[in-house]
Amino acid sequence: MATVADRLGLSKAQLGDFYDLEPLYAPEEKLIRDSVREFVKAEILPHIGEWWQEGYFPPELPKKFGELGVLGATLPEEYGGLGASYTAYGLINREIEYGDAGMRSFVSVQSSLVMYPLYTYGSEALRQKWLPRLATGEVIGCFGLTEPDAGSDPGSMQTRVKKVGNNYVINGVKRWITSGSRAQVAIIWAKSEDDGKVHGFALDTSTPGFKAVDIKTKASMRASVTSELYLDEVVVTETDKLNVVGLKGALSCLNQARFGIAWGVLGAGFYCLEEAAAYAEDRPIFGVPLASKQMIQMRLADMLADLTKGSLLAFQLAKLKEQGKDTPPRVSLAKRDNVRAALQAARAARDILGGNGITTEYGAIRHMLNLETVATYEGTDTVHTLILGRTITGHNAF
Amino acid sequence: MKIISIIKQVPDAEARIRATASGIDLEGVTFVIDGMDEYGVEQSLRLRETGLDAELISIALGPKRFEEAIRTSLAMGSDRAIHIETDEALDPITQAKVLANIIKEEGAELVFVGGKEADWDSAALGPAVAEALGWPHSDWTTKLVVSGSSLSVTHDSDEGSETLTLPLPAVVTTQQGLNEPRYPTLPNIMKAKRKELKKLALSDVGSPSGKTQLLRQEIQTKSRLNKVLTGDAAEAAKELARLLHEEAKVI
């Protein structure tokens, strides 16, 4: 079956590269992309439909990701990272989400929401305690900011921390936490009863009073673990405290993760385009291929156009990030619009696939449902729109 | 022991290649390390991983773009690389002479070459390298064990497969089935950036004159006879056998 890449005269190595960004990648960035692609082809694609259907996240996968080297790839080698560029990190996310957004979420959370704050705000002791084992996948991390009643307004969090002697005591509930019940280390954000400000802690999940319960009723991200965390008089030490005061600590992590999402969703989107184009060629209707119909072609053209524009956006965002110019509004624009492009592509693909499009034998509905989560987490579409609106007008409309 | 893998960079088997009246248009084509050369690199890595004390060197003879294929081999695990950079289109015999000079200079004892590299599909380079060195060689190799100063190999022959023992130094050309090449892990890709990639000009390795000259290229066309045999199956089979024997002379 001819793939869309064939038809575009592109090899698979140039998947999603209609505007020829290939010569702009460094040699090692291309090698990294190709290796992650091979990994996804061998380790994820053959099983993901079943994992998703069963609500199963393979326990051996974190170590496999660790061996491949994708966890904390941008951190220095001395902490188990690769010292890779953000372009490479973007490509890693895109290739993994070509497989599944849940798999990419695991890598994003581990890298951007756990390893990044430990590296950026952790003491040397805290870095050494967790980073090398997080890089190998031996240890899993999670990030607790969102609460049942505090999502887009994290400042209204109810989780509290209080200094007691030389230690801190945390009480509260966190919800929608990726990898929560599998994690050995949790980055927990809590409001201080002492100074009224938000502080972050890297707590060992075996600490008494910590409990994680999985959310089992998801119709999205089914191959990813999502949990609720209960913190009941959890005691943490001064060394477990991150060296940052206020919400900006947590928000800086989100800026990292949102960057990864802006790249990641392109993988899901291009998977859907490829699948829909191949299906439309193969499926006869009124005696001719579905692909020969104008309505189908229009939708495929829209998918290619939106995803190509998204690829250029993501690429330039990586270049900006490498120069420290990835301002939150720039990241918001890319996260918002690339998720929109991918979600629309997935919905169109699901529709083009007709009845087959509702089964997990094809990827479209799985990607489509996953992307509903991606559109919601890490800043909803609305939140990013308001960030951009505030950037243009100067008025805060939250 | 030094083990050398000869590397070529060829169009990706999944790429769409455009043939024009004047030859192959490589514009916009993705290039990769030759798949059969990759078997050689992988085998050298496996020999070392199973206890052989060896330095692994990748050597490539070709244009600047070959560098990417060399980097792939370094990322897989080769220790260092030599790139003899030239834009000249050299025939396999001439390439072999150039390569033999550098193989001798390095003092290598085992050389891997892709069984049939996807550039000209000639399967000639490996045997030609062995000839230029005066070394024994095993072609189409599917299994290989080094013991002391000899090599035990299983290779495909016209009648099936043979198992042979060769003294080292020797040249081995690869065949599908020898191994399943690994994809480089990300840490190894980053480490490869710091590995030595020595650049040489053709004149540094004794610029020999080519045996052949490329005059023009055209697309090979195969015409079919379009003969359909009718009648009952037994009759048709007899007729088919007769045609294959007497007219096509293939059986």
Side-chain angles (χ1 to χ4, degrees):
Chain A
M1 202 190 298
T3 66
V4 68
D6 289 335
R7 218 165 294 116
L8 296 172
L10 303 172
S11 73
K12 281 194 186 139
Q14 293 165 301
L15 173 78
D17 194 20
F18 193 52
Y19 265 40
D20 200 21
L21 291 168
E22 187 73 7
L24 302 177
Y25 296 124
E28 71 274 12
E29 291 168 351
K30 292 186 218 180
L31 285 170
I32 286 172
R33 174 198 61 198
D34 293 347
S35 279
V36 177
R37 182 169 299 176
E38 289 297 321
F39 176 89
V40 168
K41 210 155 67 176
E43 303 283 346
I44 295 178
L45 287 175
H47 317 292
I48 185 61
E50 196 185 329
W51 293 344
W52 197 93
Q53 193 80 48
E54 303 297 323
Y56 176 73
F57 177 76
E60 66 279 6
L61 211 53
K63 278 187 189 156
K64 286 188 180 178
F65 278 130
E67 274 168 38
L68 178 64
V70 295
L71 304 174
T74 56
L75 298 188
E77 285 178 25
E78 53 187 305
Y79 300 105
L82 300 172
S85 67
Y86 276 104
T87 306
Y89 181 59
L91 288 165
I92 289 169
N93 280 277
R94 191 188 73 183
E95 294 304 324
I96 295 175
E97 193 155 340
Y98 183 84
D100 189 79
M103 303 292 116
R104 198 267 307 138
S105 293
F106 171 81
V107 174
S108 282
V109 168
Q110 187 94 346
S111 303
S112 294
L113 298 182
V114 178
M115 297 178 76
Y116 172 81
L118 280 167
Y119 175 72
T120 311
Y121 307 120
S123 64
E124 191 54 31
L126 204 54
R127 286 172 166 186
Q128 293 298 346
K129 184 176 175 187
W130 296 113
L131 287 175
R133 288 182 298 153
L134 282 161
T136 59
E138 198 184 325
V139 159
I140 296 174
C142 69
F143 179 89
L145 174 66
T146 300
E147 300 184 356
D149 291 319
S152 297
D153 54 344
S156 68
M157 67 172 67
Q158 296 301 308
T159 300
R160 292 289 180 264
V161 60
K162 198 166 88 181
K163 185 140 196 186
V164 179
N166 289 329
N167 293 329
Y168 295 87
V169 177
I170 306 178
N171 280 289
V173 180
K174 298 288 178 183
R175 190 166 164 85
W176 309 117
I177 309 305
T178 300
S179 305
S181 65
R182 302 284 177 94
Q184 287 84 53
V185 57
I187 305 295
I188 297 293
W189 302 92
K191 205 174 261 181
S192 167
E193 288 181 3
D194 306 310
D195 65 8
K197 296 196 169 112
V198 173
H199 294 269
F201 299 86
L203 68 87
D204 189 323
T205 58
S206 64
T207 310
F210 180 94
K211 195 171 88 175
V213 178
D214 286 343
I215 299 167
K216 293 283 193 189
T217 48
K218 290 179 297 170
S220 173
M221 293 283 194
R222 290 190 50 79
S224 167
V225 174
T226 312
S227 319
E228 195 157 43
L229 310 182
Y230 299 91
L231 298 113
D232 180 17
E233 298 287 313
V234 175
V235 178
V236 288
T237 66
E238 184 70 39
T239 41
D240 299 326
K241 190 162 172 270
L242 299 177
N243 186 25
V244 63
V245 180
L247 257 186
K248 68 171 190 285
L251 295 179
S252 74
C253 302
L254 300 185
N255 216 43
Q256 294 290 109
R258 289 166 180 176
F259 167 81
I261 290 168
W263 275 87
V265 291
L266 296 168
F270 276 110
Y271 183 99
C272 291
L273 171 57
E274 203 177 300
E275 184 172 79
Y279 184 88
E281 186 57 40
D282 205 37
R283 176 77 152 88
I285 188 160
F286 303 113
V288 292
L290 197 55
S292 65
K293 298 295 177 192
Q294 289 183 347
M295 295 286 272
I296 300 294
Q297 292 192 6
M298 186 187 79
R299 303 181 86 174
L300 295 173
D302 285 346
M303 289 159 88
L304 178 66
D306 290 348
L307 295 170
T308 299
K309 287 185 274 185
S311 300
L312 298 178
L313 206 55
F315 182 83
Q316 176 61 6
L317 183 63
K319 295 296 144 198
L320 289 170
K321 190 165 181 62
E322 283 157 11
Q323 302 163 56
K325 295 180 184 168
D326 57 326
T327 58
R330 281 176 169 156
V331 175
S332 282
L333 193 153
K335 194 273 182 185
R336 185 189 85 138
D337 281 43
N338 283 6
V339 172
R340 280 185 183 181
L343 186 52
Q344 276 170 28
R347 286 172 180 162
R350 201 231 52 78
D351 192 41
I352 290 168
L353 265 60
N356 286 310
I358 67 160
T359 72
T360 52
E361 280 167 41
Y362 290 85
I365 198 166
R366 177 172 52 80
H367 282 301
M368 183 189 96
L369 292 168
N370 283 344
L371 285 162
E372 292 291 347
T373 295
V374 184
T376 304
Y377 72 14
E378 295 288 346
T380 62
D381 189 281
T382 305
V383 161
H384 292 301
T385 301
L386 294 179
I387 288 171
L388 293 170
R390 185 176 60 192
T391 303
I392 301 165
T393 65
H395 295 293
N396 188 347
F398 281 93
Chain B
M1 179 197 249
K2 284 186 185 176
I3 302 178
I4 287 177
S5 298
I6 305 296
I7 305 296
K8 283 193 180 182
Q9 192 204 37
V10 298
D12 185 348
E14 288 174 349
R16 200 167 67 168
I17 309 291
R18 286 172 300 274
T20 65
S22 58
I24 300 294
D25 178 10
L26 293 175
E27 180 64 32
V29 166
T30 310
F31 291 96
V32 295
I33 184 171
D34 182 90
M36 296 193 88
D37 290 342
E38 222 174 350
Y39 295 141
V41 176
E42 177 64 35
Q43 199 59 34
S44 69
L45 294 168
R46 290 186 186 198
L47 285 172
R48 180 158 68 185
E49 283 161 7
T50 50
L52 191 72
D53 183 18
E55 186 187 18
L56 313 181
I57 309 158
S58 299
I59 298 184
L61 168 62
K64 180 158 175 45
R65 64 171 166 82
F66 272 35
E67 231 176 80
E68 288 194 18
I70 298 170
R71 280 185 201 285
T72 304
S73 73
L74 291 173
M76 285 173 76
S78 287
D79 299 312
R80 61 186 171 91
I82 301 169
H83 183 191
I84 308 151
E85 210 177 297
T86 178
D87 288 325
E88 267 184 67
L90 303 170
D91 59 79
I93 309 272
T94 314
Q95 288 179 33
K97 285 186 179 161
V98 174
L99 293 168
N101 285 343
I102 194 126
I103 291 165
K104 274 187 278 187
E105 201 179 299
E106 283 289 344
E109 286 182 77
L110 180 57
V111 175
F112 286 103
V113 185
K116 194 177 187 180
E117 292 157 315
D119 50 356
W120 289 96
D121 231 22
S122 74
L125 184 63
V129 168
E131 185 67 23
L133 289 162
W135 293 1
H137 90 277
S138 161
D139 61 4
W140 306 117
T141 310
T142 54
K143 202 177 159 206
L144 174 148
V145 180
V146 175
S147 36
S149 61
S150 75
L151 195 61
S152 168
V153 295
T154 302
H155 81 135
D156 288 354
S157 68
D158 291 343
E159 286 80 32
S161 73
E162 295 176 321
T163 300
L164 306 169
T165 306
L166 320 174
L168 290 171
V171 175
V172 168
T173 84
T174 63
Q175 168 68 312
Q176 193 177 7
L178 180 61
N179 55 49
E180 191 56 52
R182 70 199 62 192
Y183 45 83
T185 65
L186 277 47
N188 284 338
I189 291 170
M190 299 306 281
K191 275 183 208 140
K193 284 174 75 177
R194 295 192 288 266
K195 289 180 180 173
E196 180 189 295
L197 199 176
K198 191 159 110 187
K199 291 277 189 176
L200 295 176
L202 203 50
S203 57
D204 298 329
V205 252
S207 47
S209 55
K211 295 272 180 207
T212 57
Q213 215 183 335
L214 183 66
L215 298 178
R216 69 191 162 85
Q217 303 177 72
E218 53 192 80
I219 298 159
Q220 187 181 21
T221 52
K222 287 179 185 162
S223 55
R224 290 168 182 271
L225 287 175
N226 289 323
K227 191 174 278 186
V228 179
L229 301 178
T230 51
D232 72 74
E235 293 270 313
K238 262 187 209 164
E239 178 62 5
L240 178 62
R242 191 190 67 76
L243 288 170
L244 289 172
H245 184 62
E246 290 174 16
E247 288 194 15
K249 295 187 175 24
V250 292
I251 54 171

